[in-house]
Amino acid sequence: MILVTGGAGFIGSNFVLDWLAEHDESVVSLDKLTYAGNLENLVTLKDDERHIFVRGDIGNTELVAKLLKQYRPRAIVNFAAESHVDRSIHGPEDFIQTNIVGTFHLLEAVRGYWSGLAGEEKTNFRFLHVSTDEVYGSLAKDDPAFSETHRYEPNSPYSASKAASDHLVRAYHHTYGLPVLTTNCSNNYGPYHFPEKLIPLMIVNALAGKPLPVYGDGQQIRDWLYVKDHCAAIRCVLEKGRVGEVYNIGGWNEKANLDIVHTVCDLLDELRPLSGKWEVGSGKDTHPTPHSSFPTYRSLITFVADRPGHDRRYAIDARKIEHELGWKPAETFETGIRKTVQWYLDNPGWVSNVQSGAYRQWVEKNYMGRA
Ligand code: NAD
Ligand code: DAU
């Protein structure tokens, strides 16, 4: 079996769901269930014996050591982190605590476990650390994309904390021989994305007729990858990656933020048009009714003050993973973003639970009395 940390978050839950759809190998998910962790993402696994959910902190060495002893995983995939740049600007402490101190404690527990293994169990063990392209800093317009040897220049408390965790993982390999792999991925999008991040925020705000806040001039560039392609890349690195190596993961999809917002608006115009169907007070639709004077969703776009220290451009050079391991994304941006918008349209219950905080009550309900 494998141990996945942060398995109730956006990428972690997609990873667990895809893993169990493709393998019969069991998964233990360890997640603290912060505001970003949502057991509703894993609800389809409720009666699946191959999945064990444990609520806990990666920084709790005793708990992690106990889980490792009990389940003897052959690999650990570490997604657990505080992940939102804006939150790291308003309050960096949780980022230092989980992303740096938490990763350190996790590594210590794993080192203790791995040292006690022998033979093939020890040789084949892997610790895969999931990281981000943000550790490389910001690119100018014509700079080449980030390769694995690009120097680290993190600019936000979030990226600095992820950079520190990458260095710890590297050090545990070089010093103790722990068989680690590190992946640095670009911006993900897709199902179960918490609506504090650009794409899901734009979708849910647009559907509610609320302003679509674009930071600064909206010309910052991100390199977008459909989350299931990221999950496939991680499976590929876990299976075939060379121990101690770093693999950059990206979809060759550089887009300016404003173009992303336009695309989301245009897809909503097509899939859930404002005109005709949504007359105020028609009573024919249970979705929130935007103000009837908005002709298209684009008219909701509002430019707002920029993010402090905002990185201008990220771009991933994904040639290493493509050439060495044979991974390629299955989705284009056009197919992936259509699936994503459709997923949010099809899952209004998930959206409103996440927004209302009702999913926390669901957790209480599901876990009370089970301890
Ligand atoms: P997320 O915020 O949606 O999920 C993080 C999960 O980790 C949540 O379920 C949360 O409850 C859990 N968690 C937080 N602190 C914990 C702790 N101390 N112990 C145990 N669990 C804890 O994040 P995400 O977007 O799914 O990102 C997952 C990982 O991928 C992160 O490490 C992030 O840095 C990295 N990453 C994200 C992106 C992206 O675009 N979202 C891109 C590249 C890399
Ligand atoms: O590059 C990988 C990283 O991508 C991950 O490591 C992070 O965990 C993930 O959150 C993401 O970071 P970003 O800061 O790029 O993502 P976010 O969705 O917050 O913002 C994307 C861009 O959109 C960024 O330039 C800021 C801008 N933005 C964001 C929000 C939330 C807006 O213009 N308006 C907004 O309301």
Side-chain angles (χ1 to χ4, degrees):
M1 71 153 58
I2 63 165
L3 173 71
V4 171
T5 74
F10 163 48
I11 307 175
S13 61
N14 275 286
F15 181 84
V16 171
L17 292 170
D18 290 358
W19 180 274
L20 291 172
E22 296 209 351
H23 299 72
D24 265 336
E25 189 176 14
S26 301
V27 176
V28 178
S29 296
L30 170 66
D31 196 296
K32 188 178 173 182
L33 295 181
T34 68
Y35 78 94
N38 185 355
L39 278 183
E40 221 180 305
N41 300 0
L42 299 171
V43 75
T44 53
L45 301 177
K46 203 158 58 81
D47 300 318
D48 193 324
E49 288 176 350
R50 299 169 305 163
H51 184 241
I52 296 149
F53 181 82
V54 179
R55 185 176 191 172
D57 195 320
I58 56 165
N60 183 342
T61 317
E62 217 173 288
L63 170 68
V64 177
K66 191 175 133 227
L67 293 175
L68 294 173
K69 192 169 167 206
Q70 184 177 357
Y71 294 110
R72 302 185 72 78
R74 70 165 176 97
I76 294 170
V77 184
N78 182 33
F79 291 98
E82 289 293 334
S83 70
H84 192 35
V85 174
D86 292 323
R87 285 185 192 252
S88 83
I89 294 167
H90 289 288
E93 192 161 350
D94 286 347
F95 291 73
I96 306 306
Q97 208 50 49
T98 283
N99 301 0
I100 306 179
V101 182
T103 305
F104 160 68
H105 285 301
L106 177 65
L107 283 164
E108 275 293 277
V110 173
R111 180 165 77 91
Y113 166 69
W114 174 77
S115 312
L117 298 178
E120 279 200 350
E121 220 185 344
K122 186 168 189 175
T123 320
N124 294 338
F125 182 81
R126 296 288 181 270
F127 180 91
L128 191 153
H129 179 60
V130 179
S131 192
T132 169
D133 59 0
E134 300 202 11
V135 297
Y136 299 123
S138 184
L139 293 169
K141 193 167 165 279
D142 298 320
D143 284 347
F146 299 129
S147 72
E148 288 78 1
T149 54
H150 195 283
R151 67 181 275 191
Y152 270 41
E153 287 178 327
N155 292 319
S156 70
Y158 163 69
S159 54
S161 68
K162 289 296 291 187
S165 69
D166 294 7
H167 291 323
L168 283 170
V169 170
R170 177 189 160 88
Y172 271 64
H173 174 64
H174 284 270
T175 305
Y176 304 113
L178 192 70
V180 307
L181 297 154
T182 298
T183 56
N184 292 84
C185 188
S186 60
N187 285 62
N188 285 214
Y189 66 98
Y192 306 112
H193 205 179
F194 196 80
E196 64 182 356
K197 309 280 169 65
L198 180 73
I199 289 180
L201 183 84
M202 294 300 147
I203 299 171
V204 305
N205 276 16
L207 289 172
K210 292 183 182 161
L212 308 180
V214 173
Y215 297 163
D217 63 2
Q219 293 309 310
Q220 305 83 1
I221 290 171
R222 297 291 182 268
D223 186 350
W224 294 93
L225 182 69
Y226 191 60
V227 64
K228 287 175 183 302
D229 280 325
H230 185 191
C231 295
I234 292 170
R235 293 195 300 275
C236 177
V237 173
L238 193 57
E239 194 191 326
K240 300 192 263 183
R242 283 183 295 135
V243 167
E245 290 291 317
V246 172
Y247 294 91
N248 281 359
I249 305 171
W252 305 101
N253 263 315
E254 286 185 60
K255 307 260 181 216
N257 291 340
L258 191 57
D259 293 338
I260 294 288
V261 179
H262 284 159
T263 303
V264 166
C265 289
D266 297 350
L267 275 169
L268 286 172
D269 283 335
E270 178 195 328
L271 298 169
R272 183 63 60 78
L274 286 167
S275 57
K277 290 189 184 161
W278 281 24
E279 292 306 325
V280 174
S282 70
K284 285 186 185 154
D285 200 308
T286 53
H287 292 279
T289 308
H291 194 287
S292 62
S293 65
F294 294 134
T296 69
Y297 288 99
R298 284 192 187 201
S299 59
L300 293 167
I301 293 171
T302 311
F303 290 90
V304 298
D306 209 349
R307 172 186 280 175
H310 200 170
D311 285 338
R312 196 66 182 167
R313 174 178 166 237
Y314 304 142
I316 280 279
D317 178 340
R319 281 177 295 179
K320 181 173 173 183
I321 187 172
E322 290 179 357
H323 294 164
E324 206 179 284
L325 306 185
W327 171 85
K328 273 213 186 296
E331 301 290 342
T332 62
F333 185 72
E334 289 64 34
T335 58
I337 191 70
R338 182 173 283 275
K339 283 184 183 175
T340 303
V341 171
Q342 191 63 56
W343 187 88
Y344 281 86
L345 290 172
D346 292 344
N347 290 278
W350 183 91
V351 172
S352 67
N353 286 348
V354 161
Q355 288 179 313
S356 70
Y359 73 96
R360 288 186 184 283
Q361 289 158 20
W362 187 91
V363 171
E364 292 296 327
K365 196 168 138 199
N366 194 41
Y367 284 88
M368 229 164 46
R370 282 193 185 217

